[in-house]
Amino acid sequence: MTPHITVLTLGVDNLERAVAFYRDGLGFPTQGIIGTEFEHGAVAFFQLASGLKLALWPRASLAADTGLPLGPPSATNLSIGHNVATHAEVDAVMAQARQAGATIVKPAGTTFYGGYAGYFQDPDGHLWEVVCLEGLG
């Protein structure tokens, strides 16, 4: 297997709310929700850097497609890292996320390794780390 990830799918409880958060709140480009004509088909895709796509798909649809039982969400299963160039950019992204409706889990500050980072959760509880390694080797 060639280690080339092309799609990161986040299971969400409310697809419309999730799309509004990422599209309207964070400014991620999307064509909106597609696939509504299919049972368990409604999904939204967002183009990210380097050809990576972010998909938002209802958790119930993901469970139905995989055959796995729908379990409770957990924010500590995964975090998504968003690296920026400066401390000011970390602060700006954290403010944008808060304005969009994110929950600030850990305000931006100096990390134990000398970086600068903060954590927020999207409306479905997915954990994002916004980090700057400015000044580190």
Side-chain angles (χ1 to χ4, degrees), residues 119-137:
Y119 285 96
F120 70 85
Q121 285 180 292
D122 73 9
D124 285 282
H126 299 111
L127 190 62
W128 284 76
E129 180 186 25
V130 183
V131 61
C132 168
L133 303 177
E134 180 180 38
L136 296 179

Side-chain angles (χ1 to χ4, degrees), residues 17 21-22 26 75 93-108 118-130:
R17 177 187 68 190
F21 176 79
Y22 284 97
L26 297 184
V93 171
M94 293 292 288
Q96 182 181 11
R98 180 185 307 110
Q99 180 68 29
T103 300
I104 303 302
V105 174
K106 183 177 181 180
Y119 285 96
F120 70 85
Q121 285 180 292
D122 73 9
D124 285 282
H126 299 111
L127 190 62
W128 284 76
E129 180 186 25
V130 183

Side-chain angles (χ1 to χ4, degrees), residues 35 38-42 57-58 60-62 64-65:
F38 304 107
E39 181 179 12
H40 302 297
W57 201 21
S61 297
L62 187 56
D65 192 50

Side-chain angles (χ1 to χ4, degrees), residues 48-114:
L48 305 178
S50 302
L52 182 64
K53 290 184 190 283
L54 174 68
L56 302 177
W57 201 21
R59 289 180 345 102
S61 297
L62 187 56
D65 192 50
T66 62
L68 294 171
L70 181 61
S74 173
T76 57
N77 286 344
L78 159 81
S79 74
I80 302 168
H82 179 67
N83 291 305
V84 296
T86 67
H87 294 195
E89 286 180 89
V90 171
D91 293 336
V93 171
M94 293 292 288
Q96 182 181 11
R98 180 185 307 110
Q99 180 68 29
T103 300
I104 303 302
V105 174
K106 183 177 181 180
T110 302
T111 66
F112 69 91
Y113 55 84

